[in-house]
């Protein structure tokens, strides 16, 4: 569990939003205002790319397995919801509405975090993270 939290925090939250946070901070330092419209677009872009990839992968893997039909449907709903939220964000930003698309983008990002956590609930790869700089465990060298 500790490895999963570390991976989630470092790679999904910090590195995943780096392309958004660095330009936003730079903009703030030069203009003394936050680029809220760019933050909305950045967050929704992260959502579509991560949710799109992860749900498409799950749908392809689960295709044809009747025992996992409900999980496949949840992944399909998540994919469609992310696309619909993206359309709404773009429409509202096109009409120069700033606050509502920012709220939608933040909500979509939080939901994508929950989806990532749910999809990786039984993932054993977090348990096999190596203990040394090369990624191996001490047992491999005995």
């Amino acid at each position: 569990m500790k490895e999963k939290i570390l991976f989630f925090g470092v790679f999904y939250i910090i590195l995943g939003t780096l392309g958004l946070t660095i330009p936003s901070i730079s903009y703030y330092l030069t203009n003394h205002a936050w680029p809220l419209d760019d933050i909305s677009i950045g967050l929704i872009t992260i959502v579509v790319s991560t949710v799109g990839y992860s749900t498409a992968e799950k749908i392809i893997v689960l295709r044809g397995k009747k025992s996992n039909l409900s999980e496949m449907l949840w992944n399909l709903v998540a994919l469609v919801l992310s696309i619909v939220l993206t359309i709404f964000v773009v429409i509202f930003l096109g009409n120069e509405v700033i606050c509502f698309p920012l709220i939608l983008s933040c909500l979509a990002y939080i939901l994508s975090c929950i989806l990532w956590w749910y999809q990786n609930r039984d993932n054993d790869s977090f348990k096999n993270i190596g203990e040394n700089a090369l990624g191996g465990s001490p047992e491999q060298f005995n």
Side-chain angles (χ1 to χ4, degrees), residues 21-128:
T21 53
I22 290 174
S24 296
I25 291 171
S26 174
Y27 184 89
Y28 179 78
L29 293 175
T30 56
N31 298 322
H32 304 293
W34 291 103
L36 299 179
D37 53 345
D38 290 341
I39 292 172
S40 294
I41 290 292
L43 283 175
I44 206 70
T45 301
I46 292 168
V47 168
V48 168
S49 63
T50 57
V51 170
Y53 171 78
S54 65
T55 56
E57 180 185 35
K58 291 285 186 183
I59 290 169
I60 289 170
V61 169
L62 296 173
R63 186 186 59 201
K65 297 180 181 178
K66 296 194 188 281
S67 63
N68 293 325
L69 185 61
S70 64
E71 187 169 348
M72 189 171 85
L73 288 174
W74 277 113
N75 281 289
L76 189 60
V77 167
L79 178 62
V80 170
L81 183 62
S82 70
I83 292 169
V84 168
L85 287 173
T86 302
I87 292 169
F88 279 123
V89 166
V90 170
I91 288 172
F92 283 117
L93 286 175
N95 291 327
E96 299 182 7
V97 177
I98 301 296
C99 191
F100 190 63
L102 184 62
I103 293 169
L104 280 179
S105 297
C106 290
L107 177 66
Y109 183 73
I110 291 168
L111 290 174
S112 76
C113 291
I114 293 168
L115 177 70
W116 182 91
W117 197 268
Y118 172 75
Q119 286 181 333
N120 291 290
R121 67 193 178 279
D122 297 328
N123 197 340
D124 289 333
S125 64
F126 296 110
K127 297 175 186 169
N128 299 326

